[in-house]
């Protein structure tokens, strides 16, 4: 009697384990590790550029500067992002070297603008380059303005 119960228990346990393995295999979709085509790379770069322009435009709406100052700030932010991307693409021996290069870029890149714009706008720029700019809040305000009109 014990042997039959043990045999039935073993068979049921084996079937249960087998069913779980088959269920897990169905949900795993094999991933292909193919290189992206040139068209896909170009599409991604174009979308990233559009997204960057939209981000900068949203940021510029928060500033209190006049149109001329906003154009200068826009050019400066674009060059900042290009230089930051160049730093990320550059190979460094240590990650600390990369962090130091980025910190140096953040500290020195906007020094020319300090003379042209107000302290509040400069504080907003520093906030933006440190990653604390909340773009969602700006887009919410834009939507509210559109609904009012």
């Amino acid at each position: 009697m014990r042997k039959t119960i043990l045999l039935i228990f073993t068979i049921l346990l084996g079937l249960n384990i087998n069913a779980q393995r088959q269920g897990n295999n169905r949900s795993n979709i094999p991933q292909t590790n193919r290189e992206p085509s040139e068209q896909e790379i170009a599409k991604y770069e174009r979308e990233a550029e559009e997204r960057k322009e939209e981000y900068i435009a949203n940021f510029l709406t928060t500033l209190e500067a006049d149109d001329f100052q906003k154009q200068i700030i826009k050019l400066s932010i674009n060059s900042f992002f290009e230089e930051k991307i160049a730093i990320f693409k550059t190979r460094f021996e240590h990650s600390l070297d990369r962090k130091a290069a980025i910190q140096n870029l953040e500290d020195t890149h906007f020094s020319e603008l300090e003379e042209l714009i107000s302290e509040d706008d400069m504080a907003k720029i520093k906030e933006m380059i440190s990653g604390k700019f909340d773009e969602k809040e700006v887009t919410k305000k834009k939507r509210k303005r559109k609904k009012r009109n």
Side-chain angles (χ1 to χ4, degrees):
M1 178 79 175
R2 285 184 178 172
K3 288 184 179 181
T4 56
I5 292 175
L6 186 62
L7 181 64
I8 291 172
F9 181 71
T10 306
I11 290 173
L12 288 175
L13 185 64
L15 290 174
N16 188 17
I17 291 172
N18 190 26
Q20 287 179 358
R21 284 185 187 160
Q22 288 177 354
N24 288 340
N25 286 341
R26 283 186 219 137
S27 64
N28 290 340
I29 299 170
Q31 296 181 353
T32 57
N33 293 332
R34 63 176 181 86
E35 292 292 320
S37 67
E38 290 181 21
Q39 292 175 343
E40 291 172 338
I41 293 172
K43 178 183 174 188
Y44 173 74
E45 289 176 353
R46 186 174 56 252
E47 289 173 354
E49 185 67 28
E50 290 171 2
R51 177 70 187 106
K52 181 179 80 168
E53 292 298 324
E54 180 183 343
Y55 180 80
I56 293 172
N58 286 336
F59 174 72
L60 290 176
T61 60
T62 64
L63 300 179
E64 299 164 357
D66 62 1
D67 290 337
F68 178 71
Q69 289 173 333
K70 285 184 180 182
Q71 285 298 324
I72 293 172
I73 293 169
K74 181 179 180 179
L75 293 172
S76 183
I77 292 172
N78 275 327
S79 67
F80 172 78
F81 282 137
E82 289 172 6
E83 289 179 28
K84 194 168 184 178
I85 289 171
I87 289 173
F88 281 125
K89 288 182 179 180
T90 305
R91 288 199 168 265
F92 289 95
E93 290 184 27
H94 302 286
S95 64
L96 295 176
D97 295 338
R98 175 174 282 128
K99 287 180 183 179
I102 291 172
Q103 187 63 40
N104 184 32
L105 176 67
E106 290 175 356
D107 292 341
T108 60
H109 188 76
F110 294 102
S111 61
E112 300 167 351
L113 287 177
E114 289 178 354
E115 299 170 3
L116 293 173
I117 62 175
S118 67
E119 291 178 13
D120 291 338
D121 286 347
M122 194 62 201
K124 288 180 183 179
I125 290 174
K126 293 287 185 184
E127 202 173 275
M128 188 261 313
I129 61 174
S130 66
K132 296 177 184 172
F133 172 62
D134 187 17
E135 187 181 15
K136 291 179 183 179
E137 187 176 314
V138 175
T139 55
K140 284 181 184 178
K141 287 180 182 178
K142 281 185 179 180
R143 288 180 193 152
K144 287 182 182 179
R145 287 183 200 150
K146 285 182 182 179
K147 286 182 181 180
R148 289 180 191 166
N149 293 338

